[in-house]
Amino acid sequence: MAVVPRTVHAEASAPAAGGGALRVRAQELLRTLAGPGAVLREDQWQAIDALVTRRRRVLLVQRTGWGKSAVYFLATALLRGEAGLGSADLGRRTGPTVIVSPLLALIRNQAAAASRLGIRAGEIHSGNVTEWDEVYAALRAGELDVLLVGPERLNNPTFRDDYLPELAATTGLLVVDEAHCISDWGHDFRPDYRRLRTLIAGLRPQVPVLATTATANQRVVEDVSEQLDAGAGAGSGAGPDAVAVSGTLVLRGSLDRESLRLAVVALPRAEHRFGWLADRLGELPGSGIVYTLTKAAAEELTAFLRGEGYPVACYHGGTEAAERIAAEEDLLANRVKALVATSALGMGFDKPDL
C-alpha cells in the first residue's frame, strides 16, 4: 500500500552536513557548476545521496529554479568519475546517464553548463536521425557521459528494436524529466512516456532512476511512483524528510517562487495584443521570450515584430532542429530581442539576464 508523501519544507540556504568525502566532493562540483558562492542544500544532498550511494528510485517534485538539473549532473559526475568515496560501488565507473525529456532545448541549455564539470553529452531525437549511429558509437566508446533522448523515440520502431535494449543494459543513471507527463491523471499526459515502463523494467539491478517535475498533485505523484517501481524493490530511507512510496523515494518541496510576478493586460483582439507588445518590447532591457499558445500565432507574431524592426526568431515544435539550436544560441548571446515561442521551448531556460 502506498505511503502518502508529505511536503518537505527544507531550509533553502542551509548548508549540507554529514555524508563524508562524497558530500564534500558534491559541494566542490556544485561550485564548479554554479559559481563559488553556491551551497549544496540539504534537500539536494538527500537526492544525490539516494541516487549515488543507495541507488534508489527518486521522484523530485520541486519548483522551477530549485536546482533539479544540478542533482542529476552532480550525480552523473560522481557516478562516472569519482572513486573511493565511501562505498565499494563508487570504485566502479558506471554507464552513462540517459535523460528522457520533451524539452530538449532546456536540457541542451543545462548540458552546456554541465560541460564545466567535464560532462560530455550527445542527443538522440527526431531532428538528428542521420547522426544516431555516430552518437551511439561515441556512447559505446565511453566518450559520452550523458545521452539526451526525446520521449517520442521510445515509440519509434527502429529505436525501440535496435537501440533501446542495449541502452537499458548499459545505463548508469536514468533521468525522466517532466515526469508528470507519465501520468494520465496529469495535465500534460503524453502516451510516449508510457514506454518508459519498458525501459525502466529492462535496467540492471541497482541502477538509480530520478524523475523530476515542477507540477504534480498527489494522484500524479502516486501514479508516477508506481511507474518508477517497475522492476525495483523498496530501498532504505534517506533521511527524516524522505518518504518511500512503494519503493520510490519522494522528495517534495514548496512550488512557490517569490521572485515571480504575474500581471494581466486584457485586450480584446490579437491585433491589439500585437500592437501593445510592439509598443513596449523596446522598453524592456536585454532579451527575452514571448510565449504563444499555437505555432500559427508564433509565426504570425514573429513576422509582425520583424516588420516593426525587431530582431526576433520563431521557435515551436515544427521548427527544424538546426534552426532551433541557432535560435537558442542567439537568445543566449543576446543576438535577438526575443524568441517568439510555444511551450516547445520550455519554461525553465537558464539565462541569468532573461
Side-chain angles (χ1 to χ4, degrees):
M1 181 177 178
V3 178
V4 177
R6 58 189 173 88
T7 299
V8 178
H9 296 287
E11 189 69 30
S13 60
L22 181 67
R23 195 166 191 166
V24 171
R25 183 59 180 143
Q27 175 63 71
E28 292 172 351
L29 290 169
L30 179 66
R31 287 175 179 154
T32 301
L33 178 67
V39 176
L40 187 67
R41 297 194 306 264
E42 182 64 32
D43 44 7
Q44 289 175 314
W45 167 246
Q46 280 185 268
I48 293 169
D49 182 51
L51 295 168
V52 176
T53 305
R54 304 170 189 268
R55 306 301 174 96
R56 292 291 306 275
R57 302 200 170 181
V58 178
L59 172 58
L60 271 182
V61 185
Q62 299 285 356
R63 68 185 182 274
T64 300
W66 175 87
K68 296 184 288 294
S69 64
V71 168
Y72 51 74
F73 285 130
L74 292 183
T76 295
L78 292 169
L79 287 167
R80 291 282 287 167
E82 304 299 322
L85 292 176
S87 168
D89 287 340
L90 297 180
R92 295 194 297 272
R93 184 178 175 88
T94 67
T97 292
V98 174
I99 301 175
V100 179
S101 175
L103 304 177
L104 291 178
L106 296 188
I107 299 299
R108 274 196 296 266
N109 179 223
Q110 295 159 352
S115 65
R116 292 195 290 269
L117 300 178
I119 289 176
R120 302 156 299 176
E123 301 178 25
I124 293 285
H125 52 77
S126 57
N128 73 337
V129 176
T130 59
E131 300 172 12
W132 287 10
D133 288 341
E134 181 181 346
V135 171
Y136 260 89
L139 198 65
R140 292 187 185 105
E143 297 170 1
L144 296 179
D145 302 299
V146 169
L147 181 66
L148 313 175
V149 180
E152 76 283 353
R153 294 303 91 205
L154 302 176
N155 263 335
N156 177 276
T158 299
F159 180 83
R160 192 172 63 237
D161 297 339
D162 297 345
Y163 297 95
L164 192 58
E166 181 181 355
L167 198 59
T170 58
T171 295
L173 167 65
L174 175 64
V175 177
V176 182
D177 190 40
E178 303 294 315
H180 55 273
C181 298
I182 295 175
S183 177
D184 52 13
W185 291 99
H187 71 281
D188 194 22
F189 169 62
R190 302 191 184 204
D192 291 337
Y193 263 67
R194 282 298 190 186
R195 288 283 182 180
L196 281 167
R197 178 183 283 272
T198 302
L199 175 57
I200 292 171
L203 295 174
R204 290 169 290 113
Q206 302 302 308
V207 171
V209 179
L210 172 66
T212 68
T213 179
T215 170
N217 58 29
Q218 183 56 40
R219 191 69 178 265
V220 172
V221 166
E222 293 174 359
D223 193 16
V224 172
S225 297
E226 181 182 351
Q227 305 302 316
L228 296 183
D229 285 342
S236 59
D241 289 326
V243 184
V245 181
S246 302
T248 295
L249 180 70
V250 179
L251 297 173
R252 190 169 190 170
S254 170
L255 301 183
D256 180 52
R257 296 189 64 191
E258 295 181 357
S259 62
L260 293 185
R261 297 292 182 270
L262 177 65
V264 177
V265 178
L267 297 170
R269 291 189 297 275
E271 54 264 34
H272 292 94
R273 293 189 286 274
F274 284 20
W276 183 92
L277 186 58
D279 288 343
R280 288 161 178 80
L281 190 58
E283 300 172 1
L284 299 174
S287 58
I289 304 169
V290 179
Y291 286 100
T292 65
L293 292 177
T294 66
K295 297 177 184 178
E299 293 173 355
E300 186 178 359
L301 179 55
T302 299
F304 173 78
L305 291 175
R306 285 175 176 168
E308 295 295 309
Y310 288 108
V312 297
C314 186
Y315 192 111
H316 56 62
T319 307
E320 292 293 331
E323 293 179 23
R324 287 197 196 192
I325 293 173
E328 294 163 22
E329 292 173 349
D330 286 344
L331 177 62
L332 287 171
N334 292 321
R335 290 190 291 264
V336 293
K337 182 62 179 177
L339 287 191
V340 181
T342 64
S343 59
L345 181 64
M347 300 289 178
F349 206 81
D350 184 10
K351 187 175 187 296
D353 60 344
L354 189 68

